[in-house]
Amino acid sequence: MTAETGKYPSEDLGTRSRFGVPDKVLRSASAKAVWKAELHKSSSPETRILILIITPPADTPIGEYKLSARHKDKENKLANLSVLFNPWIPDDWVFLPNEAERQEYVMNEQGIIYRGGGSFISPMSWDFGQFEKDMVKICMKLLDQNIKHWFNPADDVSARCNPIYVSRVVSAMINSADEGGVLMGNWGNDFSGGLAPTHWSGSYPILKKWYESYYRPVKYGQCWVFAGVMCSVMRLLGIPCRVVTNFQSAHDTNKNLTIDTYFDSKGVKMKQTSDSIWNFHVWVEGWMKRPDLAGDGKYDGWQVVDPTPQERSEGIFCCGPTSLMAILNGETDLKYDVPFVFAEVNADSVYWLEKSDGSKVKIFTETKTIGQNISTKSVGSNKRMDITDTYKHKEGTAKERNVFKYAIDKIENGTMLPRNIVGTTARVMSEALEMNNETRPNERTPSSLPQSQLLIRFEEVSKPENGKDVNLKLIVSSDSNIPRTFSINIIVQAMTYTGQPTGNIQTEVMEQKLLPGKDLTIPILVPFSTYHKYMIHRWTMSITTVITDLQNKENVYLASNRVVLTNPPISITVSGKSRVNQEMTAEVVFMNPVNETLRNCILTLSGCGLLIGEEKTELPNLLPNNRVRAKIVFVPHKIGERTLLVNFSCTAFGDIKTSCTVDIKP
């Protein structure tokens, strides 16, 4: 028998195997990935019926194979086979010992992706759909479209025995920054020619659209969409995979493990550098061995692989696989991309104020902000699992700081970067981008600044919800025993979740007196009518205050807080017998909470095993304070627990999502 894959099958490359029963086949002495065949005990040679057990070895390249058999002088094609990685067998580099984890990270077609920021973490159901129709063909074609295959198809196909190589190829192919990729990224405001990233609720419609359009990139994606699609492909290929969200995620472009943020004298956040802090960033982790890093298995296990196109790695927009153990220990000299991922979870944040004369003043260095609440779905439940401690040691400990210094030393090849961990000129108390509402002592300098503290914090009066006015309080206090007069600037800006300002919503300037032993409380009201045009397809606004001591104008203080808006509620109920091939009805209800008519209202339902692709329904315009009630009939075609996903989009709110679980019986 002969099994072969690719256009240039070769025994020496492991892409062609000749074997027989009994195995007397003459083959190359350097043949790799030799298959074997055994007679099943129920075979009956006397009746000319042979039942064979055919086993590809663990180092077989994954892919689509042609299997043929020769008996004497006659050769027949037997079958087309698809070979995948196998996390159930110990010899495979993706072997995962725990059965519950295999069911979660390979077999589960539904999952949860976490978004939001700071104290607000929002779960979003995601449909991986890795076992939907034609997914094997789609994922195999994805491998064939990668740039390495174009240059050397024989070596590329041969290298597919290695999950390290394959995960790197998939990371590059999910985005379209290089030729042939699945998804085009878009972090702007114009999504014409495609769908906003917030529209998507699952991977299959994206992959299917890419495949059926002859590999034209699907528009548009952002980090959670890239990660969701990659997780689907990895699970289909047999690599255990989970989606991971890092809150307060750093994007460090110059590999110095420092993120610089600049504000002007009015508190407006400025676009000074390509470094940024994202509210959240989503990537995946794949489970595999890393014998390329160590022979003792030290770096085996979960590996970060990131398909969002941020920086080039070996000339291609991909990232990883990056060993979690290497990140935890600050081994920034190891491949692949450890410095970049280490910075995402553990860089330092430096805040600068640019004065009216153009000079820049470092006002605060924050060592604990980056990398918060790193989250993934729990095994066997919809609970959130915090895995921050797998990426870094506890913030504020000597171990964490020592690893940080070790990582810098590795990057600089033995030369420590000159770093000033404390401020050098003015003092500040900042909530450090909505980490929490606890106050932090100001940094002091040995200059002529007064010894009294100035503490600044923001408090929410009510939970910020899109469609309603945003109410906060700015509270200023001091241990000074004399009255102090301040000039206070408050600026509200619309932000992308990647930390970039997209518009100035409102500005307030005032003079206020702070009395000894008293708090100065300033209400901040951001009306919906003022902010909503800036916030379509946005969740985040930044509220920054710059406070100047009018008795000593060299004393300037800054605090910044990010507000993440929740969407107005939408409900779904399902009725029917919950059986395969029997009609069920989904009823969706949404109340318009704003004093304007909602137009272009579209309801989209999806869910693998429940619907084929996406079911879209156009709804009539929705008047202020009116309710829409829509009923959609669907017929489940797969058994088991299935997730029905709902997306409601309109002119004012972008995309509002909800979901429910349905247990489909045979």
Side-chain angles (χ1 to χ4, degrees):
M1 282 178 286
T2 302
E4 52 189 22
T5 186
K7 293 181 179 179
Y8 308 100
S10 160
E11 285 186 299
D12 291 349
L13 292 175
T15 51
R16 185 173 191 261
S17 181
R18 300 170 66 244
F19 57 104
V21 179
D23 194 7
K24 298 179 181 179
V25 176
L26 294 176
R27 63 177 65 91
S28 168
S30 56
K32 297 178 182 177
V34 178
W35 295 38
K36 69 177 182 179
E38 302 171 278
L39 275 178
H40 192 272
K41 60 184 179 181
S42 61
S43 289
S44 176
E46 297 80 9
T47 60
R48 302 172 65 86
I49 296 175
L50 298 182
I51 300 175
L52 302 180
I53 301 170
I54 297 173
T55 308
D59 60 346
T60 303
I62 65 167
E64 294 181 298
Y65 281 78
K66 295 176 182 177
L67 181 66
S68 59
R70 176 184 293 275
H71 182 244
K72 296 182 178 178
D73 294 329
K74 188 176 181 181
E75 184 167 359
N76 290 307
K77 180 180 176 181
L78 295 183
N80 291 324
L81 306 174
S82 297
V83 177
L84 308 175
F85 292 110
N86 190 347
W88 277 263
I89 62 168
D91 287 343
D92 200 303
W93 283 9
V94 301
F95 173 63
L96 186 60
N98 185 289
E99 174 61 19
E101 292 183 345
R102 289 194 292 253
Q103 291 301 316
E104 180 68 55
Y105 299 135
V106 182
M107 303 301 293
N108 195 353
E109 293 184 79
Q110 283 96 30
I112 292 175
I113 299 177
Y114 295 96
R115 302 183 299 175
S119 58
F120 175 69
I121 297 176
S122 174
M124 178 186 71
S125 294
W126 188 267
D127 215 339
F128 295 118
Q130 68 267 35
F131 303 125
E132 292 291 85
K133 183 181 178 183
D134 293 331
M135 275 293 282
V136 173
K137 288 182 181 178
I138 293 170
C139 294
M140 295 303 176
K141 178 55 69 174
L142 183 146
L143 297 180
D144 286 345
Q145 288 295 112
N146 93 84
I147 195 168
K148 294 178 181 179
H149 187 77
W150 294 1
F151 286 124
N152 194 328
D155 283 354
D156 171 68
V157 174
S158 174
R160 295 178 191 175
C161 63
N162 185 339
I164 303 167
Y165 178 86
V166 170
S167 66
R168 197 158 167 78
V169 166
V170 175
S171 168
M173 281 302 302
I174 296 301
N175 70 74
S176 68
D178 299 301
E179 288 294 322
V182 173
L183 264 168
M184 182 180 293
N186 187 337
W187 286 265
N189 294 311
D190 182 5
F191 301 112
S192 57
L195 295 168
T198 50
H199 165 82
W200 305 110
S201 299
S203 306
Y204 181 61
I206 296 169
L207 289 164
K208 186 169 181 282
K209 187 172 184 178
W210 172 79
Y211 185 73
E212 292 180 346
S213 68
Y214 294 98
Y215 328 122
R216 295 175 62 185
V218 178
K219 302 175 181 178
Y220 294 100
Q222 291 177 2
C223 69
W224 69 92
V225 187
F226 289 114
V229 174
M230 181 165 186
C231 187
S232 302
V233 175
M234 295 276 276
R235 288 185 182 183
L236 183 280
L237 297 177
I239 303 174
C241 189
R242 62 189 186 186
V243 178
V244 172
T245 304
N246 176 40
F247 292 93
Q248 298 300 102
S249 186
H251 182 173
D252 179 22
T253 57
N254 54 10
K255 296 184 180 179
N256 66 353
L257 302 189
T258 297
I259 306 299
D260 295 300
T261 304
Y262 293 87
F263 297 87
D264 69 13
S265 58
K266 296 179 180 179
V268 175
K269 185 177 178 182
M270 305 167 67
K271 295 180 180 179
Q272 285 276 353
T273 71
S274 54
D275 285 358
S276 57
I277 300 174
W278 297 24
N279 283 8
F280 65 92
H281 182 45
V282 187
W283 53 69
V284 304
E285 291 176 2
W287 178 274
M288 65 195 71
K289 292 178 180 169
R290 292 301 302 271
D292 58 324
L293 299 182
D296 60 359
K298 176 181 178 181
Y299 300 105
D300 295 353
W302 290 115
Q303 316 286 323
V304 170
V305 195
D306 190 350
T308 299
Q310 298 179 89
E311 302 292 327
R312 292 188 184 274
S313 175
E314 295 183 341
I316 297 174
F317 279 103
C318 66
C319 180
T322 311
S323 166
L324 253 65
M325 186 57 66
I327 299 166
L328 181 67
N329 293 332
E331 303 281 358
T332 49
D333 57 334
L334 296 179
K335 62 180 182 182
Y336 293 94
D337 309 304
V338 179
F340 186 78
V341 182
F342 182 90
E344 287 182 305
V345 300
N346 214 10
D348 282 354
S349 249
V350 180
Y351 299 92
W352 298 81
L353 188 70
E354 183 173 301
K355 294 185 175 182
S356 54
D357 62 3
S359 63
K360 295 180 177 65
V361 178
K362 183 195 290 188
I363 55 174
F364 189 74
T365 300
E366 170 59 63
T367 64
K368 301 178 184 179
T369 301
I370 303 298
Q372 300 295 323
N373 303 316
I374 304 176
S375 304
T376 191
K377 177 186 175 296
S378 294
V379 174
S381 81
N382 288 333
K383 294 181 179 178
R384 184 181 71 88
M385 180 166 64
D386 192 300
I387 56 172
T388 308
D389 60 355
T390 66
Y391 281 82
K392 60 181 179 179
H393 301 281
K394 186 175 177 60
E395 290 285 6
T397 63
K399 179 70 172 175
E400 185 272 332
R401 280 291 94 184
N402 288 336
V403 168
F404 184 89
K405 293 173 182 176
Y406 176 73
I408 291 177
D409 191 49
K410 286 276 188 180
I411 291 173
E412 292 296 299
N413 294 319
T415 304
M416 289 294 292
L417 283 174
R419 298 175 61 79
N420 187 359
I421 300 302
V422 295
T424 55
T425 49
R427 298 173 297 153
V428 67
M429 203 307 295
S430 170
E431 298 237 330
L433 303 180
E434 67 160 9
M435 280 275 300
N436 50 48
N437 284 327
E438 297 176 2
T439 59
R440 180 186 296 105
N442 294 312
E443 295 189 16
R444 292 189 178 275
T445 68
S447 67
S448 60
L449 292 172
Q451 293 300 305
S452 59
Q453 298 274 351
L454 186 65
L455 303 178
I456 311 167
R457 69 183 189 274
F458 294 92
E459 288 185 2
E460 293 178 353
V461 175
S462 57
K463 199 67 181 174
E465 183 178 306
N466 199 352
K468 297 181 179 179
D469 297 347
V470 174
N471 281 284
L472 298 97
K473 292 188 293 186
L474 171 66
I475 302 174
V476 184
S477 58
S478 171
D479 59 0
S480 173
N481 56 7
I482 59 171
R484 303 174 71 184
T485 304
F486 297 104
S487 170
I488 300 175
N489 274 43
I490 300 172
I491 179 80
V492 182
Q493 291 178 282
M495 306 284 290
T496 65
Y497 79 97
T498 61
Q500 298 300 325
T502 60
N504 295 338
I505 296 173
Q506 69 181 39
T507 303
E508 293 183 74
V509 182
M510 65 194 76
E511 281 190 16
Q512 295 283 344
K513 182 173 287 189
L514 177 62
L515 300 176
K518 301 284 187 180
D519 287 347
L520 173 60
T521 301
I522 300 170
I524 301 173
L525 174 67
V526 190
F528 171 74
S529 58
T530 302
Y531 73 72
H532 88 279
K533 67 180 179 181
Y534 298 96
M535 300 297 290
I536 298 173
H537 302 300
R538 298 273 179 265
W539 306 296
T540 309
M541 58 179 70
S542 172
I543 302 179
T544 303
T545 183
V546 174
I547 300 177
T548 304
D549 188 338
L550 294 180
Q551 280 76 38
N552 184 349
K553 292 186 178 181
E554 290 299 311
N555 292 346
V556 180
Y557 309 83
L558 179 143
S560 185
N561 188 54
R562 289 188 189 178
V563 173
V564 179
L565 301 179
T566 63
N567 273 322
I570 184 171
S571 68
I572 179 172
T573 54
V574 176
S575 59
K577 290 189 175 181
S578 298
R579 292 191 179 277
V580 170
N581 297 325
Q582 294 199 18
E583 285 189 353
M584 300 187 70
T585 301
E587 182 179 74
V588 180
V589 179
F590 178 74
M591 167 75 81
N592 180 2
V594 299
N595 192 30
E596 66 176 67
T597 299
L598 302 184
R599 305 181 188 279
N600 300 330
C601 300
I602 298 175
L603 189 66
T604 305
L605 267 66
S606 61
C608 67
L610 300 176
L611 299 101
I612 305 295
E614 295 181 324
E615 184 79 27
K616 291 187 179 181
T617 304
E618 292 187 7
L619 303 175
N621 292 341
L622 188 55
L623 298 174
N625 300 310
N626 276 23
R627 178 183 285 109
V628 63
R629 188 184 302 271
K631 292 185 178 182
I632 294 93
V633 175
F634 62 97
V635 180
H637 56 276
K638 289 185 181 180
I639 63 171
E641 283 199 353
R642 301 284 163 183
T643 302
L644 183 63
L645 302 110
V646 176
N647 184 77
F648 174 78
S649 63
C650 62
T651 48
F653 292 112
D655 296 278
I656 301 173
K657 297 183 183 294
T658 189
S659 63
C660 68
T661 301
V662 186
D663 190 6
I664 305 300
K665 304 298 183 183

